[in-house]
Amino acid sequence: MSLHVRTPAIVSSSLSRASGRKVWLKLESLQPSGSFKLRGIGLACQEHAKRGVKRFVSSSGGNAGIAVAYAGRELDIPVTVVVPETTSPRACRLIADMKAEVLIHGASWQEANERALAMLGDSDAFIHPFDDPVVWRGHATIIDEVVEDGVQPDLVVLSVGGGGLLSGIVEGLQRHTLNCPVLAVETTGASSFTQSVARGERIVLPAIESIATSLGARQVSEHAFALVAEHRIDCAVVSDLQAVEACLRFLDDHRILVEPACGAGLATLYRNVVELADYRTILVIVCGGATSTVEQLIAWRHSLSSASNIEAEICTSADACRVTLQI
Ligand SMILES: *Cc1c(COP(=O)(O)O)cnc(C)c1O
């Protein structure tokens, strides 16, 4: 039995109206860990459990850490999550609530991750948040379910951080010989995939400058980057403010709370971005995320919009120009 649940795909009246297209939502926000991550990470943990490992170790203070903690609790295997000092108290609590040990170490994820790797014993398994074929295989079950439900999109919209979700969705589409293109969405300050595609090489961002921390991989996985050569993948970038506004609007429309990482994808539909122009039936992977509160979203909207809408607009179009010039 899997640790994740089968999620519904529903038609969204509000996103369909906003975009003038038929929009399906795959509700990964309903996973017991709050995000799609449980599909791949749950599968990886189950496979390690079969080999008899005695502990799972993770270095994610976000939804991957929460998914590992959930999987460990269900499989009755201890979990240690090493998180950087920047991790919010709320995220630490969500992990600790699932009985995992939380160790706070280092100024950034790099240091926390090094510490996690250094502490691995022979009977421990390190669970990578996005760069593992087993994780992709688990995420691919999203498409198995969509196909079973008879949903036939002509575009799949999803968010990209390190590229694990993208890798899993493309694997699922290929498994069912579906040629359906994918729109990969990021926020401006976390656009490592978009910039890599534009440059034709896998770039490393000097820093993550986005509140969508779940999209904050400074470099996407080699596998995700290589997929652009075998599957049609388009890119879109939205601002943090657009992602936050999409979260708040989605909360009103669907009574579902998601992180800005997920709001980024939703924003492309609410804003009916040009990248959607050729498509009629769109499937959005509502990837979810457990780490933001309503209060936090409202505070972000306030601080991001008082940094002035004008500045945000200049910033987004400058980024778009840079990307265009690089092509
Ligand atoms: C992890 C995560 C992503 C990005 O997934 P990757 O596999 O790293 O590309 C997007 N949204 C949410 C809510 C996440 O937790």
Side-chain angles (χ1 to χ4, degrees):
M1 223 189 61
S2 69
L3 295 172
H4 68 262
V5 300
R6 192 186 200 289
T7 58
I10 65 167
V11 171
S12 168
S13 306
S14 44
L15 284 166
S16 298
R17 204 176 329 109
S19 65
R21 298 156 212 286
K22 182 162 193 179
V23 179
W24 287 90
L25 306 174
K26 181 64 172 163
L27 293 175
E28 290 305 295
S29 49
L30 293 175
Q31 292 298 343
S33 73
S35 80
F36 73 94
K37 288 231 170 49
L38 187 58
R39 289 189 186 257
I41 287 178
L43 182 63
C45 288
Q46 279 181 314
E47 299 211 340
H48 286 299
K50 273 190 221 143
R51 291 196 293 112
V53 305
K54 296 283 183 290
R55 180 172 67 154
F56 299 134
V57 177
S58 163
S59 58
S60 161
N63 297 306
I66 298 169
V68 177
Y70 178 86
R73 192 186 63 185
E74 294 301 302
L75 297 167
D76 214 6
I77 292 177
V79 174
T80 298
V81 185
V82 188
V83 301
E85 287 146 12
T86 47
T87 309
S88 71
R90 176 179 160 81
C92 291
R93 188 167 43 75
L94 287 170
I95 297 168
D97 280 351
M98 299 211 209
K99 305 280 178 277
E101 176 187 31
V102 180
L103 292 180
I104 301 176
H105 178 86
S108 73
W109 175 79
Q110 263 72 19
E111 286 107 56
N113 190 53
E114 275 163 29
R115 177 69 194 275
L117 294 174
M119 75 196 303
L120 286 181
D122 290 342
S123 56
D124 294 335
F126 178 71
I127 310 295
H128 199 285
F130 59 81
D131 199 4
D132 175 355
V134 179
V135 169
W136 310 331
R137 184 156 33 97
H139 295 341
T141 57
I142 293 176
I143 297 298
D144 296 340
E145 293 173 12
V146 166
V147 169
E148 265 173 37
D149 289 347
V151 178
Q152 293 182 325
D154 53 17
L155 178 73
V156 179
V157 173
L158 50 75
S159 320
V160 175
L165 178 60
L166 174 66
S167 301
I169 293 296
V170 171
E171 181 170 327
L173 292 171
Q174 290 178 341
R175 185 189 289 166
H176 293 277
T177 56
L178 297 172
N179 258 331
C180 173
V182 173
L183 182 64
V185 188
E186 296 174 298
T187 51
T188 312
S191 57
S192 48
F193 184 73
T194 303
Q195 292 191 38
S196 297
V197 171
R199 290 245 208 126
E201 63 172 331
R202 207 158 54 103
I203 60 113
V204 185
L205 292 176
I208 299 300
E209 284 164 356
S210 172
I211 54 157
T213 49
S214 297
L215 304 185
R218 289 173 54 216
Q219 187 176 39
V220 295
S221 77
E222 214 175 313
H223 181 77
F225 178 63
L227 286 176
V228 293
E230 46 178 275
H231 198 94
R232 168 135 186 220
I233 303 172
D234 294 331
C235 297
V237 176
V238 304
S239 70
D240 277 0
L241 180 59
Q242 290 165 354
V244 168
E245 282 174 340
C247 291
L248 288 165
R249 198 163 158 192
F250 191 69
L251 178 59
D252 282 340
D253 286 343
H254 281 282
R255 288 85 48 205
I256 295 173
L257 176 64
V258 297
E259 287 180 15
C262 179
L266 300 173
T268 63
L269 278 303
Y270 279 127
R271 304 179 67 83
N272 194 22
V273 299
V274 59
E275 287 83 358
L276 305 179
D278 295 341
Y279 306 101
R280 306 275 8 126
T281 308
I282 299 180
L283 173 72
V284 186
I285 311 300
V286 182
C287 46
T291 69
S292 342
T293 60
V294 177
E295 212 175 325
Q296 172 85 80
L297 289 173
I298 292 170
W300 273 325
R301 180 173 58 188
H302 182 76
S303 60
L304 291 165
S305 40
S306 59
S308 133
N309 282 330
I310 297 168
E311 198 182 309
E313 288 301 325
I314 291 171
C315 184
T316 334
S317 53
D319 192 70
C321 291
R322 214 161 44 238
V323 170
T324 315
L325 288 174
Q326 279 161 2
I327 294 174

